[in-house]
Amino acid sequence: MTHLYELTAHELQDMIKNGEISVAELVQSIFQRIEAVEDKIHGYSSLHKKEALASAKEIDKKIKNKKKFGGLAGIPIAIKDNMNVLNTQTSCGSHILESYISVYDATVVARLKQADSIIIGKTRMDEFAMGSSTESCYYGPTYNPWDINRVPGGSSGGSGSAVAANETILALGSDTGGSIRCPASFTSTVGIKTTYGMISRYGLVSYACSLEQIGPITKDVKDCALLLNYLVGYDPYDNTTINRPKVNYLDSIINDVNKLKIAVPKEFLGEGINEDVKKAVWDAISKLEGLGASYEEVSLPHINYALPCYYIIAMSEASSNLARFDGMRYGFRVNEDFNEWNKVYAENRRIGFGAEVRRRIILGTYALSSGYYDAYYLKALKVRTLIKRDFEEIFKKFDVLLTPTMPFPAFKIGEKIRDPLSMYLADICTVPINIAGVPAISIPCGFTKKDSLPIGLQIVGNFFAEPIILKVAYTFEQNTEFHKRKPNL
Ligand code: GLN
């Protein structure tokens, strides 16, 4: 018997509209599943069960009485814990925001509510989205449903695991340097980071504003396109959003890559990339070739500078963005009277932030300080332009660029957390995309031989080429079986 929690949003949509199932039934099914597996997964930092069941009833009423209802009516969604949902906790996986209750809805959340989607809860994440494993979450790590001794990736690991373990139908993540695509790759789900400026960041707690985008993590490509329809769009509250004509992303759900021109950058398939990952990506390229696409190997000459460039920019922006958390305005405050404001701030921040967040604030502050600004931050901005140009050159000739999403499959819990540099190296294939601002999707493309761990394929497109990358992703998915394999829980 297929359970409701196993289905996709596009399958459930019709069943709900036709009255085949009630929304209450679906939401119950999700919470039953959560009760059964959450002990092993730890995907959520908070659950909104009462509110979810209440909205389910309301939507059921609307449907029954033939009242107007939204396009995602009754579809459960999990929200990464760095997006504000009115009157609920937004912790960012941090001690410092443990007691913080949102006073407004993020724009994406308001849009989902308007579409009658049902918020199931908030998902765990690396503290302030800084990490690639979800191990730095103050509430404890999330586990990978494919092997609970391994990380789900990060920083949106809670969202990735919750989708893979069928603890929700849809999820939102945020991606500053790979945080949607990394968990998608490690949990065999689909995740997209859109062109910078496509989705409002209003109500997303900022980590590095010039790099990040909110986006979907879903069970398949069609759900990803469906959810994008409700997220993308200009927002007067976020002046980095772009005002463009509306696109229906479901129109890209077409099985066709005929004459598609693929670029394969050799830097992404060389040294340091796991052999099984390399093979899966080359197999994917052959598959697409067999379906009518052609490929050529290319080079991105400045790609070696992407990682240092990213970490200087991200840490600099973080040091400025996180200055607001001083224990005076939000969340945690030490219970001691120091009689000296500097000491109060310092203690609040020393105790409230975890080790990685403190490290990045210190390094970011250093990179921005006078005397070092030109040598680090300004230089990183210049390198950013060079990297962006590398991508622009490629897209003059090619439709998409294919790379592994992650250089290796999910690693063991505890393996990298004490060695920050090795953790940063995990982002080698994803951060250049954020630096350039172009869109990229990660889809399942295989499993490792020995441990059967998921492998993700990254499909990168030119600015605003989301329709193209969705089409390629959908075509690959329709002609392979990887997305059908589910973890055994
Ligand atoms: N792992 C990267 C970092 O730590 C990316 C995180 C993200 O995309 N939020 O910065």
Side-chain angles (χ1 to χ4, degrees), residues 129-132 155 175-179 207 310-311 360 427:
M130 298 173 185
S132 315
S155 62
D175 190 313
T176 311
S179 280
Y207 155 24
Y310 168 83
Y311 275 97
R360 293 192 189 201
D427 303 331

Side-chain angles (χ1 to χ4, degrees), residues 3 72-74 101 108 142 155 185 228 290 304 307 362 420 445 451 471:
H3 298 279
L72 290 176
I101 302 294
V108 289
T142 295
S155 62
S185 170
L228 272 188
N304 282 346
L307 215 53
I362 291 166
C445 78
D451 306 304
K471 192 175 87 172

Side-chain angles (χ1 to χ4, degrees), residues 12 123 136 162 182 230 241 291 316 326 339 358 365 379 385 406 466:
L12 288 162
T123 56
S136 70
C182 164
Y230 295 90
T241 52
L291 294 165
S316 301
D326 51 16
N339 256 336
R358 289 200 307 272
T365 306
K379 191 153 203 179
T385 304
M406 299 301 290
E466 282 83 358

